Amino acid sequence: AVQLVESGGGSVEVGGSLRLACGASGYPFSSVCMGWFRQAPGKQREWVSSISTGGSTTYADSVKGRFTIAKDSNTNTLYLQMNSLKPEDTAMYYCAADRTQRSFCSQARLSYDYWGQGTQVTVSS
């Protein structure tokens, strides 16, 4: 069965850092786009970042320069390093995989077929 399992969330103060991880199994994730999304209470799930099969990365403007997405194809693990965290980064963070091979990774939630259960990130001031 296809599984995406996030970990690494927690509570930090403003300016702190967290590193999220997403373990993937049951699918050749190295051959597809993978991404991170987040959803704050009362808001829609929003795209945060994606990484292509070739390692090209894209970021939402709100996290550019602070977050870094990476993947380890040997262990099928996706990462999100989050630095200089702000209260507005508070959300449930989800990793996702798009099984359609694309030249450029999509930022659309509906393009992603597989989702993890999420990990909570809380940033307090």
Side-chain angles (χ1 to χ4, degrees), residues 12-91:
V12 295
E13 294 185 347
V14 170
S17 297
L18 283 173
R19 187 192 195 202
L20 306 184
C22 172
S25 61
Y27 195 82
F29 291 106
S30 60
S31 63
V32 297
C33 286
M34 295 193 73
W36 289 97
F37 288 75
R38 67 186 181 186
Q39 186 167 17
K43 295 188 176 182
Q44 290 191 340
R45 192 171 298 187
E46 65 174 359
W47 172 77
V48 174
S49 180
S50 293
I51 186 165
S52 72
T53 56
S56 296
T57 59
T58 48
Y59 299 93
D61 288 343
S62 59
V63 306
K64 200 172 293 182
R66 300 187 298 122
F67 289 12
T68 303
I69 191 171
K71 65 179 179 179
D72 184 336
S73 296
N74 291 326
T75 63
N76 273 344
T77 305
L78 180 72
Y79 298 99
L80 186 68
Q81 177 68 44
M82 306 186 296
N83 299 328
S84 303
L85 284 162
K86 305 176 181 180
E88 51 264 42
D89 294 319
T90 295

